[in-house]
Amino acid sequence: MKQHPALRSTTLALAIAATAGLGAVTPMAHASSHREAPTITQYPKMDGTDLYVFRSYEPGRSDFVTIIANYVPLQDAYGGPNYFTMDPDGIYEIHIDNNGDAREDLTYRFKFRYEQKNIALQIGDKAVAIPLRNAGQINAMDSSARNDAELFTVSQISGPRTPTAVGSLLRNAADNATEFAKPVDNIGNKSIPDYAAYAASHKYAITIPNCAIPGRLFVGQRREGFGVNLGEIFDLVNIPVGRVIGSRSGGTNATAGKNVTSLALELPIACVTNGDPVIGAWTSASLPRSRLVSSDPLAQAIVNSNMVQVSRLGMPLVNEIVIGLKDKDTFNASSPKDDAQFATYVTNPTLPALLEILFGAAGVQAPPVFPRGDLVAAFLTGVTGVNRQLNGVPAEMIRLNTALPATAKGQQNSLGAAACFVDGALTLSNPGCDPAGFPNGRRPGDDVVDIELRVAMGVLLPPGPGKPASAALPYTDGVLVEDSLFDNAFPYLTTPLAGSPNGGNGLPANPATP
């Protein structure tokens, strides 16, 4: 692989010593963020599941960064008749820190509006409203048979999210409109014969406040791209050791038959950076205080006058596996600038110890070194010469070095930048070295489960007494994620599974007609 200029001069390893005052959590586990905290289980429409941040690798778009925030986990394609709308009372936000202080400098706020058309049929002498979301076929040119509409706005807020910050609206470059349409979910092949074309008609070129270069926007259902053996992982890793340390493919992907809702933005790099090419990003979602079943402990995070933050996501897997049960709701209500309160969870992680308890008989050993400085560098500060922010404050978010060239689809290594390190040292000549991938940002095809398992068990530690022999084992969940599973163009995640016919929607195929 071609050596990237931004990396040639660095000799630093990921095993950077922990510094005083560091505080955040590190993702090192086995599933993306689905139902990860007690309170968020009550608000599935607000549940952030995955965040992707990467330099666009679509041909001709290398001067852009793509950010995809996924919400509403574990959608069954056949989940009618209402399917999966967004919450019109909530606000969904993507935050960017472009100066390393762990505070938002740019926020993109999504606000949804739902309206019904009340299509009715004449039944006898009465007009009676139909019970379905469509009364006929829908296509890219004609959606008049749709019985409802989801519309949304996106505003750009510069600086902190103060109670009075309203921002400036993104606009449709075609007609200057400030409201956009979200396609209905993939009901089935009879209702929407060509869903790919229909969804593509909802991909917008946008004008961005204070930015001379147009970007792109898409909000809608996509096929779930995160693969994981979900149920067995959370059953005390109920997987044979030969699978945990073995082939990266062949395991059961519990999310293979699921869809998700994506909020996707493609933004010019020049308009989101501020001197430093490295940006940090995370998402949040908030509800009115009056909507909460319980305001404790979520009341501490007020986004604006009456909004309470109920979801937060940066690096994958943090809240599900790393944060202690007692602090999961607090983490969802918090911001990166306040991550010092979670310091113990990263400096003294429990996952490696749990894996040693479960698989110690097979030689698995947790690294006996504390604090875990290798994890700090990889996940809390970024790595010098790769994706460390200038003057960066340790905090949990995805960091992307926008100066590093994108790697084209078909050439990406699903182990990302982690494949560039040998015994904790950056080794650009290592076969498959791909610094454009996780933990330098996150692309859809980065296999974050395998990467984080290996990092948690010490693969990035330098040689020495703190690095057990088992650190070199090829830990995996057996569900391979790679770039071939995704599109080569915005919004990258693929067409969602159709609700029908059965056989391709997670349900058994219908028996043949007699």
Side-chain angles (χ1 to χ4, degrees):
M1 174 174 287
K2 181 180 178 181
Q3 293 186 0
H4 296 276
L7 292 176
R8 289 190 185 119
S9 63
T10 183
T11 59
L12 293 180
L14 279 175
I16 297 174
T19 57
L22 64 91
V25 291
T26 179
M28 44 190 174
H30 310 73
S32 199
S33 295
H34 304 81
R35 297 172 54 85
E36 76 284 351
T39 297
I40 197 61
T41 63
Q42 302 173 84
Y43 313 107
K45 291 187 178 186
M46 310 305 294
D47 191 353
T49 69
D50 280 287
L51 174 62
Y52 302 94
V53 184
F54 56 97
R55 189 162 177 173
S56 300
Y57 54 86
E58 177 182 342
R61 306 295 291 186
S62 61
D63 291 334
F64 293 80
V65 59
T66 294
I67 303 177
I68 306 170
N70 285 348
Y71 285 90
V72 195
L74 304 175
Q75 297 179 16
D76 290 320
Y78 48 84
N82 296 303
Y83 300 94
F84 305 95
T85 57
M86 304 302 279
D87 195 320
D89 289 338
I91 57 175
Y92 303 79
E93 295 179 314
I94 295 170
H95 311 283
I96 296 175
D97 166 25
N98 61 22
N99 61 12
D101 64 356
R103 299 172 184 267
E104 61 273 10
D105 298 297
L106 291 170
T107 293
Y108 294 91
R109 177 177 291 173
F110 295 72
K111 189 73 175 67
F112 291 86
R113 180 170 69 87
Y114 180 78
E115 62 181 34
Q116 296 178 347
K117 297 182 180 179
N118 296 321
I119 295 175
L121 296 178
Q122 193 68 29
I123 307 298
D125 61 349
K126 298 183 183 298
V128 182
I130 67 170
L132 305 179
R133 293 188 67 183
N134 61 305
Q137 285 194 342
I138 300 169
N139 59 55
M141 302 301 295
D142 183 6
S143 60
S144 59
R146 184 173 172 181
N147 197 24
D148 61 4
E150 271 193 282
L151 306 168
F152 67 96
T153 60
V154 186
S155 56
Q156 176 181 277
I157 300 169
S158 298
R161 294 177 293 161
T162 62
T164 57
V166 294
S168 301
L169 291 171
L170 275 58
R171 294 180 177 272
N172 189 333
D175 59 10
N176 209 37
T178 58
E179 193 167 51
F180 305 88
K182 173 180 174 289
V184 71
D185 294 339
N186 196 353
I187 296 169
N189 294 346
K190 186 175 182 179
S191 291
I192 313 173
D194 188 350
Y195 192 87
Y198 167 67
S201 69
H202 294 79
K203 183 169 66 176
Y204 300 98
I206 54 172
T207 58
I208 305 166
N210 305 313
C211 181
I213 308 169
R216 291 191 290 186
L217 168 68
F218 172 82
V219 172
Q221 192 180 52
R222 297 282 88 189
R223 185 169 185 174
E224 175 63 84
F226 186 85
V228 64
N229 196 344
L230 196 61
E232 292 180 342
I233 287 295
F234 287 107
D235 183 21
L236 295 179
V237 194
N238 188 17
I239 302 173
V241 68
R243 173 68 67 191
V244 175
I245 306 168
S247 172
R248 293 181 62 206
S249 61
T252 299
N253 181 7
T255 62
K258 306 295 183 180
N259 293 327
V260 73
T261 300
S262 295
L263 282 56
L265 278 170
E266 188 182 55
L267 305 168
I269 291 173
C271 296
V272 297
T273 53
N274 183 24
D276 184 353
V278 179
I279 60 172
W282 71 99
T283 67
S284 66
S286 305
L287 281 172
R289 186 182 304 279
S290 59
R291 282 277 308 277
L292 297 181
V293 175
S294 171
S295 60
D296 183 22
L298 299 176
Q300 63 183 283
I302 301 174
V303 175
N304 60 30
S305 59
N306 188 41
M307 302 301 290
V308 177
Q309 182 175 303
V310 297
S311 177
R312 169 191 169 186
L313 181 65
M315 287 282 198
L317 319 175
V318 171
N319 208 354
E320 279 187 306
I321 298 296
V322 179
I323 298 295
L325 182 62
K326 70 183 182 67
D327 286 327
K328 287 180 178 292
D329 286 333
T330 301
F331 181 83
N332 266 351
S334 68
S335 297
K337 65 182 178 61
D338 300 318
D339 277 348
Q341 63 186 306
F342 305 113
T344 300
Y345 291 120
V346 61
T347 57
N348 299 72
T350 58
L351 176 66
L354 177 60
L355 292 179
E356 180 177 331
I357 291 170
L358 296 172
F359 300 106
V364 172
Q365 182 182 353
V369 56
F370 307 102
R372 288 291 301 273
D374 55 326
L375 304 181
V376 173
F379 298 111
L380 307 184
T381 64
V383 182
T384 301
V386 181
N387 65 336
R388 185 160 188 157
Q389 287 179 296
L390 299 175
N391 305 313
V393 174
E396 191 279 303
M397 63 181 81
I398 290 184
R399 289 176 174 84
L400 172 70
N401 186 346
T402 62
L404 289 178
T407 303
K409 183 178 184 236
Q411 301 177 30
Q412 296 175 14
N413 186 335
S414 62
L415 294 178
C420 300
F421 292 84
V422 177
D423 281 333
L426 184 66
T427 308
L428 296 173
S429 61
N430 197 44
C433 173
D434 185 6
F438 187 80
N440 177 35
R442 181 189 176 190
R443 303 167 300 196
D446 290 337
D447 197 341
V448 295
V449 172
D450 286 6
I451 296 170
E452 293 179 351
L453 267 177
R454 298 175 190 203
V455 171
M457 299 311 293
V459 70
L460 298 179
L461 287 168
K467 185 169 186 172
S470 62
L473 293 174
Y475 296 97
T476 179
D477 70 331
V479 178
L480 180 63
V481 177
E482 58 184 357
D483 60 354
S484 64
L485 303 175
F486 301 94
D487 289 340
N488 196 31
F490 181 82
Y492 297 95
L493 301 184
T494 59
T495 300
L497 294 170
S500 94
N502 292 338
N505 62 354
L507 294 175
N510 294 330
T513 302

